[in-house]
Amino acid sequence: MKNKFFFSWIAFHAAIFLSFLISLAVSPKFNFGTSLFDILPPDSGLHEVQAADTKLTARTGRAVTILVKADSFELAKGAAEKFYLTYADIDGKLNVDFFDSLSFYVDSDSVAEITAWLHENRFSLLDDETRGLLENGDGFQISEDALASVYGTFNFSDLSYLEEDPFLLSERSLKKLLDGGAVASTNMALRDDVLASENDGAFYVLVRGTVSEKGSSLTGKKSAVKSIYETVKILQKKYRDDGTEVDFVFSGVPFHSYENATSAQRQISVISTVALILIFAMFLLIFRSIVPAIASALAVVFSCAVGFVSVLLFFRGIHVLTFVFGTTLIGTCLDYSIHFFVNWKANLSCDSGEAVRKHIFRGVTLGFASTEICFAALFFAPFPLLKQVSVFLFTGLAASWLSVVALYPLLKMPKNRRGRIFEGNCIASFALTQKFHAAVRVRRLIPALLVIFSLVVIFFNRKDFRVHNNIQELYSMSSEMLQNEITSAKVLNTGSSGWYFILKANSEEELLQKNEELADYIEEIVSKIGFGNFLSVSQFIPSEKKQAQNYTAAKNLLPLADEQYEALGFSDSGFASGHFAQTYEENYRLKENNFVHPADSNLPATIRDAISNLWIGEIDGAFYSCVLPLHLGDPKSEIFFREYAADHDGIFFVNKVKDISSQLDVLSKTMLRMLVIAFVLVIVILLFCYKPAQVLKIAAVPVLVLLVTTSVLVLAKIHISFFPITALVLVFGLGLDYIIYAVEGSGEKSNLTSFAILLSFVTTALSFGALAFSNFPPVCMLGLTVFVGLTTAVLIARN
């Protein structure tokens, strides 16, 4: 038997670690997830465009906005410039370790580049107003507007293209882009070659960027956010030393992800470290030997290492919240260790490690099997995070069980063994006496009291006793980060509500036409409600169909060209105005079928940046784009948008908060069904081991635990949602262990079993109880649910 278990331990660990090392040679890269959206399930309504939504989210998820604030524009601009030059030189060459793009200067060269592009495509890129005038025979209006601009006191353009564009078509298109806010899409205005704004007496200068893939790392040297914070800290100190103050306002998913990750990792590290230290000290006090403490600590380390490596092996990455759920292993691994070492120290009928194993084997193995069934149930949820958690816990728990049954029996029995391991410790000694049990006979009333308590809570809070998810409750910003977002929204006023459309088509042309149709519809909505705007690639690049219409409409300017050139004085340049008109017509003819496309490599950098988050491009033979409503976050607009998307093929309206919350509701109910299935499976297994009366007693425990825990959650104003339900699955597996241990330990050694159960609970409480104080809601929900559930389980384990 000894060799069988020992070689099983060797084979199990060798298989996992060797497989992992082999996989490193094939694929050495791993993804460490931290974003809130990484832990959320995909929206089932977006199944058809899930790849496009994922690609879009990846792009927008690396965008950062930095506002530099000071009492004067010059001071704000100077600080912003120093920040920009930390990562890019004057010519715009970037440190690619941190950024894919970084925008600060908006100089005359940028405007000139757009103007040159618009001039090159002046006949096909007409704005809707200009085309309407031409199609209605009002070309003279365009002619008069051009003359007024040329001879007016203020010229919008430098007139360098006047000879080839006497009607200033490119100027009209440029005005439309700038006046409509499509290029900047913020309240910022161009000032001294940068985008700036004044708000509440302070000046803000804008720096925008996209973090590189390398820079997305949250803990390494290449972490862009970490570098940004370090750079800002140095800059602020320099300005303070000079007697001035500058502030930086940060906005964007990378900053929130960094805050999430660092906060969660810090809390997990502190909680786990403190818990392990306290548990280590407690083991030394109880067992009066360093052997149980070291052996238990090593078992925990091995279990966590096996779980971690298994997740990397199967998923090539791991999310930070998987570690949070993984802390379950600390309590569970120690449960097995405690039951072994309590009997190792105090069960005088066991004279060897193998005898101790034989004594506890059935109880520990049944508890192990019931817990593994619950962990395995998580794997079948259609949710990547839960699959990671399932693999982590399942393999880690297997490693823990093998350590107890394979390695612990190899330990030498202690020299000074006592029937009461707490001799000399008055509190613990009293806990193991019959006087203590007589004093707490009232405990038999506990199940009934808990049932009454739960039913009363449910009755008076029956409206809240339902499955409900809201992803906004899963993330609580720090006060500083919240103030940053408030300031950024106030200064920039982009008007984004988090809603957007994803459009799908079989060709680029079809997709652009869909963009135009949707844009026309949104403009109708805007005119109805009197406010709002939007961003669409069609504002920059029309479909070939519309470009052809523009080109045809521009033909109506040809008869007016001779007179226009004469009015502009070109007849005085040595050529008759007819010469210029003829050249104008020739240029027009040359531009026929000269179409512009979103993927063109010669697009101006400003235009390319503007459409980078709108034009998703080709994925698996289909084409995708995004349309973003602005200042249209009211419920009435949402109804209009959902109806439009429902009535048009290839158009999907996305409200991430509402859609994913609804999906979490569905997933939560699925988890409850899995919990019921796991419950049935465990009961079936137990029927082969115990009498029906005992099985009924065991089965009552999870039901009562579920009742009490959900009641406490309702009292704490925590919705019965995905994370508490997932925690209940863990509680179900762990809580069953207590009642199984109690049933197995009944009889002459019941006092030892009672104490082992109590000690197991204390170690688990230390692991999870502190998590309830976390400021990260998912961690808090997990800690509170597990703590309450296991407390309930241990209270009724001996009743």
Side-chain angles (χ1 to χ4, degrees), residues 425-632:
N425 185 319
C426 59
I427 296 176
S429 182
F430 175 71
L432 295 178
T433 63
Q434 292 299 324
K435 290 182 180 180
F436 172 75
H437 290 296
V440 295
R441 281 173 186 165
V442 71
R443 74 187 191 277
R444 298 191 181 278
L445 297 175
I446 290 176
L449 294 173
L450 290 175
V451 169
I452 294 171
F453 162 78
S454 302
L455 292 177
V456 170
V457 170
I458 291 171
F459 178 79
F460 286 104
N461 297 274
R462 55 190 179 277
K463 291 183 180 179
D464 298 325
F465 205 79
R466 59 189 176 89
V467 173
H468 175 71
N469 288 272
N470 184 349
I471 64 169
Q472 291 179 318
E473 297 175 355
L474 298 182
Y475 173 47
S476 177
M477 287 186 242
S478 65
S479 57
E480 183 180 1
M481 200 70 228
L482 178 60
Q483 187 56 51
N484 277 346
E485 290 295 349
I486 292 173
T487 303
S488 179
K490 185 177 180 181
V491 173
L492 296 175
N493 193 30
T494 56
S496 175
S497 61
W499 302 352
Y500 55 92
F501 290 90
I502 290 183
L503 285 65
K504 176 184 179 182
N506 294 322
S507 68
E508 182 180 288
E509 174 62 12
E510 181 187 353
L511 183 59
L512 287 172
Q513 290 185 29
K514 283 187 176 183
N515 271 269
E516 291 164 352
E517 292 168 4
L518 179 56
D520 291 341
Y521 177 77
I522 296 178
E523 286 181 347
E524 288 179 14
I525 299 299
V526 170
S527 64
K528 281 182 182 179
I529 63 179
F531 60 86
N533 200 351
F534 66 95
L535 285 175
S536 169
V537 69
S538 62
Q539 293 170 298
F540 304 91
I541 302 173
S543 63
E544 288 189 4
K545 178 182 177 181
K546 181 168 281 190
Q547 290 184 55
Q549 291 174 348
N550 289 338
Y551 181 82
T552 301
K555 186 177 181 180
N556 293 328
L557 290 173
L558 297 181
L560 305 176
D562 191 17
E563 184 177 344
Q564 184 75 354
Y565 275 112
E566 186 173 349
L568 291 170
F570 279 90
S571 59
D572 298 331
S573 62
F575 293 95
S577 58
H579 165 77
F580 292 100
Q582 182 179 356
T583 303
Y584 181 80
E585 182 173 351
E586 290 173 356
N587 287 334
Y588 171 81
R589 304 294 181 192
L590 288 173
K591 299 297 182 181
E592 186 174 8
N593 296 324
N594 187 21
F595 299 118
V596 179
H597 302 96
D600 287 348
S601 59
N602 62 342
L603 293 179
T606 304
I607 301 296
R608 194 182 308 113
D609 289 343
I611 69 171
S612 61
N613 291 329
L614 301 173
W615 187 256
I616 302 173
E618 184 179 3
I619 302 175
D620 297 331
F623 292 83
Y624 301 88
S625 69
C626 169
V627 174
L628 183 65
L630 302 175
H631 302 286
L632 291 168

Side-chain angles (χ1 to χ4, degrees), residues 29 82 97 130 164 185 249 316 329 343 395 619 626 733 760:
K29 292 185 178 180
K82 286 183 173 63
D97 285 338
T130 301
E164 296 179 355
S185 68
V249 178
R316 311 312 299 169
L329 282 176
N343 287 275
T395 55
I619 302 175
C626 169
S760 297

